[in-house]
């Protein structure tokens, strides 16, 4: 994922703050099998689906909405494992985002964050759409900051 280091840092900082805030809210906290804390993203997705959609869709910029919700709504790509000749290999595929706009915004932002951590989904020397990765990172940062604001102001709460 060829990207500006500054934009990547801003995204990771925004996600760090968001995940910290979510883990402070009972119902948004989950645990790995070893007991380590993690965000319960399913609970976050459920809360986003029942929340008034405009709380998030009006909070993010028009360019973020266009990038994530415009077009086919099947990007960023996801990494999947397929078995070939008895061996696990990775492949990349387009996967539809949720029909719920707030949930789709968060799904896309998490995919961008994951792609940064685990490498992009295209040959780094062949950027099909110059500047595209930076646009995705900026949009994901906008979403993470907006969701953090909702959590901080008590507007995004777990569904009982």
């Amino acid at each position: 994922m060829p990207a500006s280091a500054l934009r990547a840092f801003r995204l990771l900082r925004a996600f760090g703050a968001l995940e910290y805030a979510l883990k402070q809210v009972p119902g948004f906290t989950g645990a790995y099998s070893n007991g380590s804390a993690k965000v319960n993203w399913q609970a976050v997705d459920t809360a986003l689906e029942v929340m008034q959609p405009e709380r998030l869709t009006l909070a993010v910029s028009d360019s973020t909405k266009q990038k994530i919700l415009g077009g086919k709504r099947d990007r960023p790509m996801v990494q999947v494992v397929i078995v070939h000749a008895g061996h696990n290999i990775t492949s990349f595929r387009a996967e539809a985002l949720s029909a719920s706009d707030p949930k789709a915004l968060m799904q896309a932002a998490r995919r961008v964050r994951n792609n940064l951590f685990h490498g992009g989904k295209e040959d780094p020397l062949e950027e099909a759409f110059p500047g595209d990765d930076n646009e995705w990172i900026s949009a994901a940062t906008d979403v993470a900051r907006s969701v953090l604001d909702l959590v901080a102001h008590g507007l995004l709460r777990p569904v009982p």
Side-chain angles (χ1 to χ4, degrees):
M1 180 172 237
S4 155
L6 181 58
R7 280 190 174 98
F9 175 74
R10 286 178 182 152
L11 173 64
L12 298 180
R13 185 173 56 193
F15 253 94
L18 173 59
E19 290 191 14
Y20 178 82
L22 288 167
K23 288 185 216 176
Q24 304 311 303
V25 179
F28 286 153
T29 304
Y32 290 104
S33 59
N34 67 0
S36 298
K38 67 176 184 175
V39 172
N40 179 346
W41 288 111
Q42 185 175 2
V44 173
D45 286 344
T46 300
L48 286 167
E49 285 187 76
V50 301
M51 175 190 77
Q52 294 173 335
E54 61 275 2
R55 284 188 173 162
L56 183 55
T57 58
L58 293 176
V60 298
S61 70
D62 289 340
S63 61
T64 292
K65 284 187 279 239
Q66 180 57 38
K67 188 71 180 173
I68 296 174
L69 303 177
K72 295 169 66 175
R73 292 174 71 130
D74 64 355
R75 290 186 63 211
M77 295 180 80
V78 295
Q79 189 172 24
V80 295
V81 174
I82 58 174
V83 178
H84 180 70
H87 298 284
N88 290 345
I89 59 172
T90 57
S91 180
F92 308 100
R93 71 168 185 235
E95 187 172 295
L97 294 169
S98 173
S100 158
D101 287 351
K103 186 176 173 183
L105 289 165
M106 193 72 253
Q107 285 175 327
R110 286 197 317 261
R111 287 182 190 178
V112 171
R113 189 255 342 249
N114 290 344
N115 291 352
L116 270 178
F117 278 130
H118 304 295
K121 306 309 183 217
E122 298 90 17
D123 182 333
L125 300 177
E126 296 180 21
E127 190 175 2
F129 305 99
D132 192 52
D133 289 332
N134 283 324
E135 291 173 8
W136 279 107
I137 290 169
S138 293
T141 302
D142 187 16
V143 171
R145 288 176 177 161
S146 297
V147 173
L148 174 59
D149 190 55
L150 292 172
V151 173
H153 290 93
L155 299 173
L156 182 67
R157 306 300 304 163
V159 176

